[in-house]
Amino acid sequence: MLATRLAAAAAAAAAALALGQAGPAAHDAVPLATTRNYWMRRANRALDQVRHTPCPFNAFGSVIVNHSAPGLGHLICMGANDIASGDPTLHGEIAAINNCSALLTDPRGPYKLTGAEAQRAWADLTLYTNAEPCPMCASAIRWAGFKELVYGTSTKTLARLGWSSITLSAEELFSYARGLRPQTALLGGVLDGETDRYFAWQFDGAAACPRGCARVDKTCVKRELGERETDAVDENAMDGNAMDEKVMDENVMDEMRGLDMPTERSW
């Protein structure tokens, strides 16, 4: 039943493969470093797509990806920190999980999974986040049973940059969850030379702003459109997937906008 639903969803959504439909070799294959970098940059860009600026103060962005699909993989959904809504649990990872849960089970959406089917689907998915998850988010990721968690900036670096947090690392938390099945692979420090920049400016007036932003007094703000388009061309030239990415983003954002969701959730 799950295989049939997912296969039908893939065809309807023009996705390459449905979740969990790849053979063992494809499912177990480890994505190349270039693929990891690509999706980490997409986690960074989720900030602008969801929060409408590349430099929100809480610059934590996430994407959830199906690597069972061919090529770079298939974007399922994205999320960005939205604690400004008043919900203190809406960290980037939780926002992305909420969005995916709604999208996977939406009876009008491309997947149309039951709750039980959606729970099993997490084991085929990878969550990319531009900073190491806090214990709350890392716990949610382990309870979900994601195939992989991939992050950029470490908790230690966040602390050095001035961010307050609960300092239990994702690796430490995962060590307490060895009895949970399925296991979740953990990979940190991916493209942290780029992700660190998203968290350096908030407490350091001399730090450079993230790409697409400029200093105004003591903060970073989104640049004018013309300037930002130049940056976008530069980044797209680096990953070479500008057109596919634009279509993918538009499809995913359209799907998420069509959901009947509380307004405080981040899209």
Side-chain angles (χ1 to χ4, degrees):
M1 175 65 75
L2 178 59
T4 302
R5 290 278 192 90
L6 289 169
L17 285 177
L19 306 181
Q21 296 308 298
H27 184 274
D28 295 337
V30 177
L32 298 173
T34 51
T35 301
R36 300 293 196 193
N37 292 349
Y38 172 83
W39 288 111
M40 190 57 66
R41 289 189 177 112
R42 299 300 303 282
N44 288 334
R45 292 186 206 174
L47 299 170
D48 198 15
Q49 292 167 301
V50 176
R51 305 302 305 143
H52 310 299
T53 173
C55 46
F57 188 88
N58 293 298
F60 301 89
S62 301
V63 293
I64 294 177
V65 179
N66 175 19
H67 279 304
S68 297
L72 291 169
H74 178 65
L75 176 66
I76 303 297
C77 66
M78 64 187 77
N81 184 292
D82 194 20
I83 61 172
S85 68
D87 184 343
T89 70
L90 278 183
H91 292 193
E93 300 90 342
I94 299 297
I97 291 171
N98 287 348
N99 294 341
C100 266
S101 296
L103 186 60
L104 291 172
T105 58
D106 181 12
R108 300 166 303 167
Y111 302 103
K112 300 179 177 65
L113 302 185
T114 66
E117 290 167 341
Q119 284 184 314
R120 293 196 295 273
W122 299 120
D124 287 319
L125 301 178
T126 298
L127 190 150
Y128 288 82
T129 182
N130 62 357
E132 185 172 358
C134 72
M136 175 186 71
C137 296
S139 295
I141 290 164
R142 280 301 291 119
W143 278 115
F146 276 91
K147 181 181 179 182
E148 299 174 310
L149 164 62
V150 183
Y151 68 83
T153 299
S154 70
T155 298
K156 288 183 178 180
T157 297
L158 289 174
R160 177 176 56 79
L161 293 173
W163 291 87
S164 298
S165 66
I166 300 172
T167 56
L168 184 70
S169 71
E171 183 177 7
E172 290 176 283
L173 188 141
F174 276 26
S175 72
Y176 291 103
R178 292 193 179 99
L180 293 180
R181 295 290 185 273
Q183 293 290 329
T184 300
L186 177 64
L187 178 63
V190 172
L191 218 64
D192 55 359
E194 293 184 22
T195 60
D196 287 359
R197 190 170 178 177
Y198 286 84
F199 308 103
W201 64 269
Q202 292 87 341
F203 306 105
D204 182 355
C209 291
R211 181 181 293 272
C213 298
R215 278 280 178 188
V216 175
D217 296 326
K218 296 182 179 180
T219 191
C220 290
V221 298
K222 186 174 181 177
R223 289 180 184 170
E224 296 298 325
L225 182 60
E227 293 179 290
R228 196 173 162 276
E229 283 178 342
T230 300
D231 284 338
V233 170
D234 290 342
E235 284 202 2
N236 288 333
M238 283 192 291
D239 60 44
N241 292 279
M243 186 57 67
D244 289 344
E245 175 183 307
K246 184 175 186 296
V247 172
M248 186 187 301
D249 286 348
E250 289 174 352
N251 289 341
V252 170
M253 293 301 287
D254 285 346
E255 289 163 3
M256 292 198 296
R257 287 191 193 101
L259 297 171
D260 291 326
M261 299 293 292
T263 56
E264 69 269 15
R265 284 189 177 164
S266 170
W267 301 110

mmCIF file of all heavy atoms in Angstrom, residues 127-163:
data_model
loop_
_atom_site.group_PDB
_atom_site.id
_atom_site.type_symbol
_atom_site.label_atom_id
_atom_site.label_comp_id
_atom_site.label_asym_id
_atom_site.label_seq_id
_atom_site.Cartn_x
_atom_site.Cartn_y
_atom_site.Cartn_z
ATOM 1 N N LEU A 127 17.519 15.310 6.576
ATOM 2 C CA LEU A 127 17.271 16.688 6.994
ATOM 3 C C LEU A 127 18.598 17.445 6.988
ATOM 4 O O LEU A 127 19.543 17.047 7.666
ATOM 5 C CB LEU A 127 16.634 16.732 8.381
ATOM 6 C CG LEU A 127 16.107 18.104 8.833
ATOM 7 C CD1 LEU A 127 14.908 17.937 9.777
ATOM 8 C CD2 LEU A 127 17.174 18.954 9.510
ATOM 9 N N TYR A 128 18.650 18.509 6.194
ATOM 10 C CA TYR A 128 19.805 19.411 6.149
ATOM 11 C C TYR A 128 19.443 20.678 6.912
ATOM 12 O O TYR A 128 18.386 21.275 6.678
ATOM 13 C CB TYR A 128 20.150 19.796 4.708
ATOM 14 C CG TYR A 128 20.767 18.697 3.885
ATOM 15 C CD1 TYR A 128 19.971 17.733 3.270
ATOM 16 C CD2 TYR A 128 22.146 18.624 3.701
ATOM 17 C CE1 TYR A 128 20.532 16.722 2.504
ATOM 18 C CE2 TYR A 128 22.720 17.618 2.937
ATOM 19 C CZ TYR A 128 21.906 16.673 2.340
ATOM 20 O OH TYR A 128 22.465 15.670 1.580
ATOM 21 N N THR A 129 20.315 21.103 7.801
ATOM 22 C CA THR A 129 20.082 22.329 8.547
ATOM 23 C C THR A 129 21.393 23.092 8.662
ATOM 24 O O THR A 129 22.461 22.486 8.812
ATOM 25 C CB THR A 129 19.483 22.027 9.935
ATOM 26 O OG1 THR A 129 19.219 23.239 10.627
ATOM 27 C CG2 THR A 129 20.396 21.133 10.762
ATOM 28 N N ASN A 130 21.327 24.421 8.545
ATOM 29 C CA ASN A 130 22.578 25.181 8.452
ATOM 30 C C ASN A 130 23.285 25.367 9.788
ATOM 31 O O ASN A 130 24.385 25.913 9.828
ATOM 32 C CB ASN A 130 22.357 26.521 7.748
ATOM 33 C CG ASN A 130 21.393 27.440 8.471
ATOM 34 O OD1 ASN A 130 20.818 27.093 9.502
ATOM 35 N ND2 ASN A 130 21.200 28.629 7.916
ATOM 36 N N ALA A 131 22.679 24.906 10.875
ATOM 37 C CA ALA A 131 23.360 24.912 12.175
ATOM 38 C C ALA A 131 22.965 23.657 12.944
ATOM 39 O O ALA A 131 21.869 23.119 12.756
ATOM 40 C CB ALA A 131 23.005 26.157 12.978
ATOM 41 N N GLU A 132 23.849 23.216 13.794
ATOM 42 C CA GLU A 132 23.602 22.005 14.577
ATOM 43 C C GLU A 132 22.317 22.140 15.391
ATOM 44 O O GLU A 132 22.108 23.146 16.070
ATOM 45 C CB GLU A 132 24.782 21.754 15.512
ATOM 46 C CG GLU A 132 24.688 20.461 16.293
ATOM 47 C CD GLU A 132 25.964 20.159 17.066
ATOM 48 O OE1 GLU A 132 26.932 20.952 16.963
ATOM 49 O OE2 GLU A 132 25.994 19.129 17.771
ATOM 50 N N PRO A 133 21.443 21.149 15.344
ATOM 51 C CA PRO A 133 20.171 21.248 16.064
ATOM 52 C C PRO A 133 20.363 21.307 17.574
ATOM 53 O O PRO A 133 21.272 20.683 18.127
ATOM 54 C CB PRO A 133 19.435 19.963 15.668
ATOM 55 C CG PRO A 133 20.096 19.501 14.418
ATOM 56 C CD PRO A 133 21.529 19.927 14.538
ATOM 57 N N CYS A 134 19.480 22.045 18.223
ATOM 58 C CA CYS A 134 19.442 22.052 19.680
ATOM 59 C C CYS A 134 18.903 20.700 20.154
ATOM 60 O O CYS A 134 18.407 19.900 19.351
ATOM 61 C CB CYS A 134 18.554 23.190 20.172
ATOM 62 S SG CYS A 134 16.789 22.898 19.889
ATOM 63 N N PRO A 135 18.958 20.407 21.452
ATOM 64 C CA PRO A 135 18.453 19.120 21.940
ATOM 65 C C PRO A 135 16.983 18.865 21.609
ATOM 66 O O PRO A 135 16.601 17.724 21.342
ATOM 67 C CB PRO A 135 18.686 19.207 23.450
ATOM 68 C CG PRO A 135 19.870 20.111 23.582
ATOM 69 C CD PRO A 135 19.694 21.139 22.506
ATOM 70 N N MET A 136 16.160 19.913 21.623
ATOM 71 C CA MET A 136 14.747 19.728 21.270
ATOM 72 C C MET A 136 14.610 19.224 19.838
ATOM 73 O O MET A 136 13.902 18.242 19.566
ATOM 74 C CB MET A 136 13.982 21.047 21.427
ATOM 75 C CG MET A 136 12.535 20.979 20.961
ATOM 76 S SD MET A 136 11.679 22.582 20.988
ATOM 77 C CE MET A 136 12.486 23.430 19.607
ATOM 78 N N CYS A 137 15.301 19.886 18.912
ATOM 79 C CA CYS A 137 15.190 19.521 17.498
ATOM 80 C C CYS A 137 15.866 18.184 17.219
ATOM 81 O O CYS A 137 15.347 17.360 16.455
ATOM 82 C CB CYS A 137 15.794 20.618 16.632
ATOM 83 S SG CYS A 137 14.916 22.198 16.744
ATOM 84 N N ALA A 138 17.026 17.963 17.829
ATOM 85 C CA ALA A 138 17.718 16.691 17.633
ATOM 86 C C ALA A 138 16.870 15.533 18.145
ATOM 87 O O ALA A 138 16.835 14.452 17.539
ATOM 88 C CB ALA A 138 19.078 16.717 18.331
ATOM 89 N N SER A 139 16.166 15.749 19.251
ATOM 90 C CA SER A 139 15.279 14.706 19.773
ATOM 91 C C SER A 139 14.146 14.420 18.796
ATOM 92 O O SER A 139 13.802 13.253 18.539
ATOM 93 C CB SER A 139 14.698 15.134 21.125
ATOM 94 O OG SER A 139 15.711 15.252 22.100
ATOM 95 N N ALA A 140 13.551 15.468 18.243
ATOM 96 C CA ALA A 140 12.469 15.280 17.276
ATOM 97 C C ALA A 140 12.957 14.519 16.051
ATOM 98 O O ALA A 140 12.253 13.648 15.514
ATOM 99 C CB ALA A 140 11.896 16.638 16.867
ATOM 100 N N ILE A 141 14.166 14.834 15.610
ATOM 101 C CA ILE A 141 14.748 14.161 14.445
ATOM 102 C C ILE A 141 14.948 12.678 14.727
ATOM 103 O O ILE A 141 14.668 11.814 13.889
ATOM 104 C CB ILE A 141 16.068 14.851 14.048
ATOM 105 C CG1 ILE A 141 15.770 16.240 13.459
ATOM 106 C CG2 ILE A 141 16.869 14.008 13.061
ATOM 107 C CD1 ILE A 141 16.973 17.154 13.392
ATOM 108 N N ARG A 142 15.420 12.360 15.932
ATOM 109 C CA ARG A 142 15.616 10.946 16.290
ATOM 110 C C ARG A 142 14.292 10.226 16.478
ATOM 111 O O ARG A 142 14.133 9.077 16.061
ATOM 112 C CB ARG A 142 16.466 10.837 17.562
ATOM 113 C CG ARG A 142 17.934 10.987 17.320
ATOM 114 C CD ARG A 142 18.478 9.923 16.334
ATOM 115 N NE ARG A 142 18.467 8.587 16.914
ATOM 116 C CZ ARG A 142 17.781 7.564 16.423
ATOM 117 N NH1 ARG A 142 17.012 7.706 15.355
ATOM 118 N NH2 ARG A 142 17.842 6.374 17.003
ATOM 119 N N TRP A 143 13.315 10.867 17.105
ATOM 120 C CA TRP A 143 12.017 10.224 17.264
ATOM 121 C C TRP A 143 11.372 9.964 15.905
ATOM 122 O O TRP A 143 10.705 8.942 15.708
ATOM 123 C CB TRP A 143 11.085 11.078 18.125
ATOM 124 C CG TRP A 143 11.299 10.916 19.597
ATOM 125 C CD1 TRP A 143 11.735 11.858 20.479
ATOM 126 C CD2 TRP A 143 11.079 9.726 20.375
ATOM 127 N NE1 TRP A 143 11.815 11.340 21.749
ATOM 128 C CE2 TRP A 143 11.415 10.025 21.717
ATOM 129 C CE3 TRP A 143 10.639 8.437 20.071
ATOM 130 C CZ2 TRP A 143 11.315 9.097 22.748
ATOM 131 C CZ3 TRP A 143 10.543 7.504 21.097
ATOM 132 C CH2 TRP A 143 10.879 7.839 22.417
ATOM 133 N N ALA A 144 11.576 10.872 14.963
ATOM 134 C CA ALA A 144 11.019 10.676 13.619
ATOM 135 C C ALA A 144 11.698 9.512 12.908
ATOM 136 O O ALA A 144 11.065 8.809 12.116
ATOM 137 C CB ALA A 144 11.176 11.956 12.798
ATOM 138 N N GLY A 145 12.987 9.313 13.176
ATOM 139 C CA GLY A 145 13.717 8.236 12.514
ATOM 140 C C GLY A 145 14.229 8.611 11.141
ATOM 141 O O GLY A 145 14.249 7.781 10.222
ATOM 142 N N PHE A 146 14.672 9.865 10.986
ATOM 143 C CA PHE A 146 15.252 10.278 9.710
ATOM 144 C C PHE A 146 16.419 9.368 9.331
ATOM 145 O O PHE A 146 17.130 8.853 10.198
ATOM 146 C CB PHE A 146 15.766 11.717 9.800
ATOM 147 C CG PHE A 146 14.716 12.760 9.563
ATOM 148 C CD1 PHE A 146 13.988 13.279 10.627
ATOM 149 C CD2 PHE A 146 14.454 13.221 8.285
ATOM 150 C CE1 PHE A 146 13.019 14.243 10.420
ATOM 151 C CE2 PHE A 146 13.490 14.186 8.068
ATOM 152 C CZ PHE A 146 12.761 14.702 9.133
ATOM 153 N N LYS A 147 16.628 9.237 8.039
ATOM 154 C CA LYS A 147 17.778 8.467 7.570
ATOM 155 C C LYS A 147 19.075 9.171 7.948
ATOM 156 O O LYS A 147 20.039 8.536 8.391
ATOM 157 C CB LYS A 147 17.711 8.287 6.052
ATOM 158 C CG LYS A 147 18.866 7.481 5.475
ATOM 159 C CD LYS A 147 18.748 7.368 3.961
ATOM 160 C CE LYS A 147 19.925 6.586 3.393
ATOM 161 N NZ LYS A 147 19.857 6.512 1.905
ATOM 162 N N GLU A 148 19.102 10.502 7.765
ATOM 163 C CA GLU A 148 20.322 11.268 8.030
ATOM 164 C C GLU A 148 19.985 12.649 8.571
ATOM 165 O O GLU A 148 18.961 13.233 8.210
ATOM 166 C CB GLU A 148 21.134 11.475 6.743
ATOM 167 C CG GLU A 148 21.617 10.221 6.063
ATOM 168 C CD GLU A 148 22.269 10.539 4.726
ATOM 169 O OE1 GLU A 148 21.640 11.271 3.922
ATOM 170 O OE2 GLU A 148 23.398 10.068 4.503
ATOM 171 N N LEU A 149 20.877 13.157 9.395
ATOM 172 C CA LEU A 149 20.892 14.560 9.799
ATOM 173 C C LEU A 149 22.227 15.142 9.359
ATOM 174 O O LEU A 149 23.288 14.610 9.710
ATOM 175 C CB LEU A 149 20.743 14.693 11.316
ATOM 176 C CG LEU A 149 21.127 16.056 11.919
ATOM 177 C CD1 LEU A 149 20.236 17.167 11.372
ATOM 178 C CD2 LEU A 149 21.074 16.008 13.441
ATOM 179 N N VAL A 150 22.177 16.223 8.586
ATOM 180 C CA VAL A 150 23.387 16.881 8.098
ATOM 181 C C VAL A 150 23.313 18.349 8.507
ATOM 182 O O VAL A 150 22.322 19.028 8.209
ATOM 183 C CB VAL A 150 23.505 16.774 6.560
ATOM 184 C CG1 VAL A 150 24.811 17.401 6.083
ATOM 185 C CG2 VAL A 150 23.414 15.313 6.114
ATOM 186 N N TYR A 151 24.340 18.837 9.197
ATOM 187 C CA TYR A 151 24.310 20.236 9.634
ATOM 188 C C TYR A 151 25.601 20.955 9.271
ATOM 189 O O TYR A 151 26.620 20.340 8.969
ATOM 190 C CB TYR A 151 24.027 20.341 11.134
ATOM 191 C CG TYR A 151 25.115 19.837 12.060
ATOM 192 C CD1 TYR A 151 26.198 20.639 12.412
ATOM 193 C CD2 TYR A 151 25.050 18.556 12.612
ATOM 194 C CE1 TYR A 151 27.189 20.189 13.272
ATOM 195 C CE2 TYR A 151 26.027 18.089 13.474
ATOM 196 C CZ TYR A 151 27.098 18.913 13.800
ATOM 197 O OH TYR A 151 28.084 18.460 14.648
ATOM 198 N N GLY A 152 25.529 22.288 9.316
ATOM 199 C CA GLY A 152 26.679 23.126 8.990
ATOM 200 C C GLY A 152 27.415 23.595 10.235
ATOM 201 O O GLY A 152 28.297 22.924 10.759
ATOM 202 N N THR A 153 27.037 24.766 10.742
ATOM 203 C CA THR A 153 27.712 25.371 11.892
ATOM 204 C C THR A 153 27.461 24.566 13.162
ATOM 205 O O THR A 153 26.334 24.153 13.440
ATOM 206 C CB THR A 153 27.208 26.812 12.076
ATOM 207 O OG1 THR A 153 27.520 27.561 10.893
ATOM 208 C CG2 THR A 153 27.841 27.478 13.281
ATOM 209 N N SER A 154 28.507 24.357 13.952
ATOM 210 C CA SER A 154 28.393 23.539 15.163
ATOM 211 C C SER A 154 27.876 24.354 16.344
ATOM 212 O O SER A 154 27.937 25.589 16.359
ATOM 213 C CB SER A 154 29.752 22.947 15.530
ATOM 214 O OG SER A 154 30.629 23.970 15.982
ATOM 215 N N THR A 155 27.374 23.639 17.348
ATOM 216 C CA THR A 155 26.934 24.280 18.587
ATOM 217 C C THR A 155 28.081 25.032 19.250
ATOM 218 O O THR A 155 27.893 26.128 19.789
ATOM 219 C CB THR A 155 26.369 23.219 19.550
ATOM 220 O OG1 THR A 155 25.229 22.595 18.943
ATOM 221 C CG2 THR A 155 25.951 23.839 20.868
ATOM 222 N N LYS A 156 29.276 24.458 19.206
ATOM 223 C CA LYS A 156 30.440 25.123 19.798
ATOM 224 C C LYS A 156 30.733 26.443 19.102
ATOM 225 O O LYS A 156 31.055 27.449 19.752
ATOM 226 C CB LYS A 156 31.661 24.204 19.733
ATOM 227 C CG LYS A 156 31.602 23.024 20.694
ATOM 228 C CD LYS A 156 32.876 22.200 20.623
ATOM 229 C CE LYS A 156 32.835 21.045 21.621
ATOM 230 N NZ LYS A 156 34.071 20.215 21.562
ATOM 231 N N THR A 157 30.624 26.455 17.788
ATOM 232 C CA THR A 157 30.857 27.700 17.051
ATOM 233 C C THR A 157 29.780 28.723 17.370
ATOM 234 O O THR A 157 30.077 29.917 17.547
ATOM 235 C CB THR A 157 30.904 27.426 15.537
ATOM 236 O OG1 THR A 157 32.005 26.556 15.255
ATOM 237 C CG2 THR A 157 31.070 28.717 14.751
ATOM 238 N N LEU A 158 28.530 28.287 17.456
ATOM 239 C CA LEU A 158 27.454 29.211 17.819
ATOM 240 C C LEU A 158 27.739 29.866 19.169
ATOM 241 O O LEU A 158 27.555 31.079 19.334
ATOM 242 C CB LEU A 158 26.114 28.474 17.861
ATOM 243 C CG LEU A 158 25.532 28.029 16.519
ATOM 244 C CD1 LEU A 158 24.278 27.182 16.748
ATOM 245 C CD2 LEU A 158 25.201 29.223 15.632
ATOM 246 N N ALA A 159 28.188 29.070 20.137
ATOM 247 C CA ALA A 159 28.503 29.616 21.458
ATOM 248 C C ALA A 159 29.644 30.623 21.365
ATOM 249 O O ALA A 159 29.603 31.689 21.992
ATOM 250 C CB ALA A 159 28.861 28.484 22.412
ATOM 251 N N ARG A 160 30.656 30.307 20.573
ATOM 252 C CA ARG A 160 31.789 31.221 20.406
ATOM 253 C C ARG A 160 31.351 32.534 19.764
ATOM 254 O O ARG A 160 31.892 33.602 20.072
ATOM 255 C CB ARG A 160 32.869 30.547 19.557
ATOM 256 C CG ARG A 160 34.070 31.429 19.254
ATOM 257 C CD ARG A 160 35.150 30.681 18.504
ATOM 258 N NE ARG A 160 34.688 30.088 17.271
ATOM 259 C CZ ARG A 160 34.507 30.770 16.136
ATOM 260 N NH1 ARG A 160 34.739 32.081 16.101
ATOM 261 N NH2 ARG A 160 34.108 30.154 15.042
ATOM 262 N N LEU A 161 30.349 32.465 18.900
ATOM 263 C CA LEU A 161 29.863 33.659 18.213
ATOM 264 C C LEU A 161 28.893 34.480 19.064
ATOM 265 O O LEU A 161 28.480 35.564 18.653
ATOM 266 C CB LEU A 161 29.179 33.261 16.900
ATOM 267 C CG LEU A 161 30.098 32.662 15.827
ATOM 268 C CD1 LEU A 161 29.282 32.158 14.643
ATOM 269 C CD2 LEU A 161 31.138 33.681 15.365
ATOM 270 N N GLY A 162 28.521 33.948 20.229
ATOM 271 C CA GLY A 162 27.679 34.714 21.139
ATOM 272 C C GLY A 162 26.267 34.200 21.324
ATOM 273 O O GLY A 162 25.480 34.793 22.068
ATOM 274 N N TRP A 163 25.920 33.088 20.677
ATOM 275 C CA TRP A 163 24.570 32.547 20.788
ATOM 276 C C TRP A 163 24.410 31.752 22.078
ATOM 277 O O TRP A 163 25.251 30.931 22.420
ATOM 278 C CB TRP A 163 24.267 31.644 19.593
ATOM 279 C CG TRP A 163 24.134 32.392 18.308
ATOM 280 C CD1 TRP A 163 25.138 32.732 17.448
ATOM 281 C CD2 TRP A 163 22.935 32.920 17.748
ATOM 282 N NE1 TRP A 163 24.643 33.433 16.385
ATOM 283 C CE2 TRP A 163 23.288 33.563 16.540
ATOM 284 C CE3 TRP A 163 21.599 32.906 18.140
ATOM 285 C CZ2 TRP A 163 22.346 34.193 15.732
ATOM 286 C CZ3 TRP A 163 20.657 33.525 17.333
ATOM 287 C CH2 TRP A 163 21.033 34.164 16.144
#
